[in-house]
Amino acid sequence: MKGSMIRVILVDDQQLVRHGLRYIINAQDDMEVVGEAESGPEAVELVRQVGPDVVLMDVQMPGGSGIAATPAILEHNPDCKVVILTTFDQEDYVYDGIRSGAAGYLLKDAAPEDMVDAVRAAFRGEAIFRTAVASKVIGKAMSSRAPIPQEDHVPNRLPAFDSLTERELEVLQQMAYGLRNEEIAATLYIGESTVKTHVHRILQKFSADDRTQAVVFAIRNRIVK
């Protein structure tokens, strides 16, 4: 064993899927499976009992949705990170996953190394929303007026918020709409190199590794209108 282990719970109604995930995770030097559940409600209770670091959560399960269970898990275990793991790359699922407080959304056809990297990233407090529809859905979540569920477990407003300039806030909102740098430049009537500078500064201020993380943080902290 190398250092502290990342304790993982698997939630999926298919035993074969859980078996495969368990094999991959337990083969890592820095993580271990500490429990399994077959439905959302079962996962909520198991998390309360075990207190894992990360939950790999399926979406559709006969006993109860994984996305619906996520706010309940985070209400009682705010330090736990939930990563949605599903076969469905659909806007509604990604959107609901973001709004529920999940730390990430990953497809089951991802490479094993991507899955374990996602577990590590979630454990570090990073956001992982890297599917084909993620950018579009993040923009939808940003523009929605619906309240973010279970706000008590959502991280407090980022300290860097007050240091964002008015132009950086404008660029951040355009990022949330899924626009590329050249499109942001055209929308705001500034040079593309200027946009790149603003994006770089936003990532620095948020301590984010990429644009997706920055936008997810902004969604959860209501930084952009």
Side-chain angles (χ1 to χ4, degrees):
M1 183 182 302
K2 298 181 180 179
S4 60
M5 301 288 278
I6 302 173
R7 304 171 73 249
V8 182
I9 280 181
L10 308 176
V11 185
D12 197 293
D13 62 310
Q14 297 184 30
Q15 184 176 0
L16 185 61
V17 172
R18 297 199 311 272
H19 177 79
L21 293 173
R22 183 172 66 250
Y23 177 83
I24 294 170
I25 290 173
N26 285 340
Q28 309 304 308
D29 291 337
D30 59 344
M31 60 185 69
E32 61 180 343
V33 174
V34 295
E36 299 180 21
E38 298 182 357
S39 70
E42 184 179 334
V44 173
E45 182 59 30
L46 182 60
V47 169
R48 289 179 181 177
Q49 295 174 2
V50 177
D53 299 307
V54 178
V55 176
L56 284 177
M57 179 76 77
D58 192 16
V59 172
Q60 289 189 343
M61 294 174 284
S65 163
I67 289 178
T70 298
I73 287 175
L74 298 178
E75 179 180 6
H76 294 280
N77 300 78
D79 293 331
C80 180
K81 309 299 182 184
V82 178
V83 176
I84 304 297
L85 185 63
T86 180
T87 58
F88 302 101
D89 191 14
Q90 297 179 9
E91 289 187 28
D92 288 346
Y93 287 152
V94 181
Y95 174 80
D96 290 342
I98 293 173
R99 304 292 288 184
S100 72
Y105 193 101
L106 194 67
L107 297 182
K108 288 182 178 177
D109 62 0
E113 55 269 26
D114 290 338
M115 188 268 290
V116 294
D117 284 347
V119 171
R120 294 185 181 104
F123 179 70
R124 293 193 300 265
E126 300 172 9
I128 313 98
F129 292 91
R130 295 170 183 168
T131 73
V133 302
S135 295
K136 182 177 181 180
V137 173
I138 287 171
K140 177 183 175 183
M142 176 67 79
S143 60
S144 171
R145 294 183 179 179
I148 299 175
Q150 301 297 335
E151 189 173 3
D152 56 333
H153 69 70
V154 176
N156 292 327
R157 186 176 292 274
L158 297 174
F161 170 70
D162 293 335
S163 68
L164 289 176
T165 67
E166 182 177 351
R167 180 62 83 184
E168 286 168 352
L169 285 170
E170 292 175 342
V171 171
L172 178 59
Q173 178 144 9
Q174 300 308 311
M175 289 165 58
Y177 293 149
L179 271 62
R180 299 186 300 272
N181 286 348
E182 59 268 27
E183 295 171 323
I184 296 175
T187 300
L188 299 180
Y189 302 102
I190 56 178
E192 186 174 347
S193 61
T194 302
V195 173
K196 291 179 180 178
T197 299
H198 287 311
V199 171
H200 178 69
R201 288 176 179 169
I202 291 169
L203 297 185
Q204 282 187 321
K205 291 179 179 180
F206 283 6
S207 297
D209 291 334
D210 54 39
R211 297 163 71 105
T212 300
Q213 286 185 22
V215 171
V216 171
F217 291 152
I219 291 171
R220 293 182 179 169
N221 290 278
R222 298 182 178 181
I223 291 174
V224 179
K225 297 179 181 179

